[in-house]
Amino acid sequence: MRILASFAGVRSEMGGAPAALVPTMGYLHEGHLSLVELARKTSDVVVMSLFVNPLQFVQAGDLDRYPRDLDRDAGIAESAGVDLLFAPSLEEMYATPPRTRIKVDGVADGMEGAYRPGHFEGVATVVAKLFAAIRPAVAVFGRKDAQQLAVVRRMTADLSFPVEIVGAPTVRAEDGLAISSRNVLLDSAQRAEALTVSGGLFAAAGAVAKGERSAGKLESIVADEVGAGGARLEYVTLADAAEAEPIDVLDREAFLAVAAHVGGVRLIDNVVLWPDGSADLGTRLEGPSILGRT
Ligand code: AMP
């Protein structure tokens, strides 16, 4: 595996071969590794980018608290089979302070967009830069960030980037919690509270399997479970999978998305639901994390 800090270096190492890109903010976990595995199925060259993008952080302190460890990440990326690890400095990514932002209307407005104004402009802008500068054939994103996936798909189509967007299932820890770089910030009592988020979503998916289709009812199931555990619910919304807009009835592919605060940590999670009663809850690790933390 080569570690590169410049766009030119990545392109020259790619040598024109079609590559799959896995964009990340680092502090790698099994969720990221599943993206690499999927990327490998599509392409001979797998490029992972690792950049904590200040443009997408909107909450004071969140950027500073974000965990970072390049040496650890490089070891994990190499054993996962990443060919090229692109870890640019802030100056390489934003050589001049950017005055251009990519704004995706509608898809980016609700849920995360409503509670974190400007967040998706930061995401869409950095992803567009990665696509333009690295020119991957494929890019893999996690469904854990379902609205982000919808925003990236729409931005890619609207700007005619010749990149195939692949969505990867959410990877969960053994106890059901969606794996996130932020989970290391939870103590054990907070982790128990955090489990009401995934637990609420699983209960809602169970209700769908039994015939429930009302968004209001599904949202209440999650809100009740999260509220009972003590976490502070920010939103729970049933949204159209492609448009990321709220729907009243589960009559098409949708995701039920939650954001909640546990201690000082903001967690998001979702399950994908279909009107035939089926659901995609993601995949669970069968044992403790091989990385020693989830
Ligand atoms: P991040 O480093 O948090 O920006 O995430 C980088 C990519 O990994 C995004 O496409 C995320 O959706 C994806 N990702 C993060 N956590 C998970 C997870 N638990 N399962 C699957 N994909 C994930």
Side-chain angles (χ1 to χ4, degrees), residues 23-26 29 31-32 34-35 66 140-142 144-145 148 169-171 178-179:
T24 81
M25 297 203 300
H29 53 61
H32 298 117
S34 75
L35 270 49
Y66 204 83
V140 187
F141 293 84
K144 153 96 172 18
D145 299 279
Q148 169 172 282
T170 298
V171 179
I179 298 179

Side-chain angles (χ1 to χ4, degrees), residues 10-293:
V10 176
R11 269 203 313 276
S12 118
E13 287 289 328
M14 280 163 62
L21 173 68
V22 178
T24 81
M25 297 203 300
Y27 218 74
L28 299 179
H29 53 61
E30 273 94 348
H32 298 117
L33 301 190
S34 75
L35 270 49
V36 172
E37 217 172 284
L38 211 52
R40 173 60 68 207
K41 288 189 182 140
T42 70
S43 310
D44 289 341
V45 178
V46 176
V47 182
M48 174 183 278
S49 62
L50 198 162
F51 179 66
V52 182
N53 176 32
L55 286 194
Q56 71 188 68
F57 283 79
V58 294
Q59 209 183 320
D62 197 23
L63 176 62
D64 298 334
R65 279 199 336 151
Y66 204 83
R68 294 169 171 86
D69 190 339
L70 179 58
D71 289 342
R72 171 185 178 276
D73 285 347
I76 294 172
E78 173 146 42
S79 40
V82 169
D83 299 301
L84 306 175
L85 183 65
F86 175 50
S89 63
L90 192 58
E91 293 70 31
E92 173 70 8
M93 185 61 85
Y94 300 116
T96 49
R99 293 196 182 160
T100 304
R101 295 283 192 286
I102 297 192
K103 185 172 181 305
V104 183
D105 283 338
V107 189
D109 292 344
M111 300 178 284
E112 290 300 287
Y115 283 90
R116 306 175 76 197
H119 168 68
F120 283 127
E121 287 182 31
V123 171
T125 303
V126 80
V127 171
K129 278 177 75 76
L130 290 169
F131 285 3
I134 295 177
R135 298 170 213 155
V138 173
V140 187
F141 293 84
R143 285 194 218 129
K144 153 96 172 18
D145 299 279
Q147 189 178 9
Q148 169 172 282
L149 177 60
V151 166
V152 167
R153 280 193 198 284
R154 192 55 196 251
M155 183 275 290
T156 304
D158 285 352
L159 298 181
S160 303
F161 279 114
V163 182
E164 183 197 338
I165 307 300
V166 173
T170 298
V171 179
R172 299 180 178 283
E174 234 182 337
D175 58 9
L177 187 67
I179 298 179
S180 160
S181 307
R182 290 185 166 91
N183 292 354
V184 285
L185 304 170
L186 299 170
D187 65 28
S188 59
Q190 290 168 336
R191 189 174 179 104
E193 270 181 34
L195 283 175
T196 60
V197 172
S198 46
L201 289 170
F202 300 156
V208 168
K210 290 201 192 113
E212 186 59 68
R213 297 290 178 272
S214 149
K217 295 257 175 59
L218 297 172
E219 289 162 2
S220 301
I221 291 172
V222 178
D224 290 350
E225 183 126 357
V226 171
R232 181 165 65 80
L233 184 70
E234 203 165 66
Y235 66 79
V236 51
T237 304
L238 184 70
D240 174 284
E243 298 300 329
E245 279 172 351
I247 54 176
D248 294 332
V249 176
L250 178 61
D251 56 3
R252 65 200 97 158
E253 181 178 335
F255 58 84
L256 185 60
V258 188
H261 290 264
V262 178
V265 184
R266 185 174 185 277
L267 300 170
I268 61 168
D269 195 357
N270 71 87
V271 290
V272 188
L273 301 169
W274 285 272
D276 68 358
S278 59
D280 178 354
L281 310 179
T283 59
R284 269 195 210 212
L285 297 184
E286 275 166 19
S289 165
I290 47 156
L291 306 174
R293 51 167 292 285

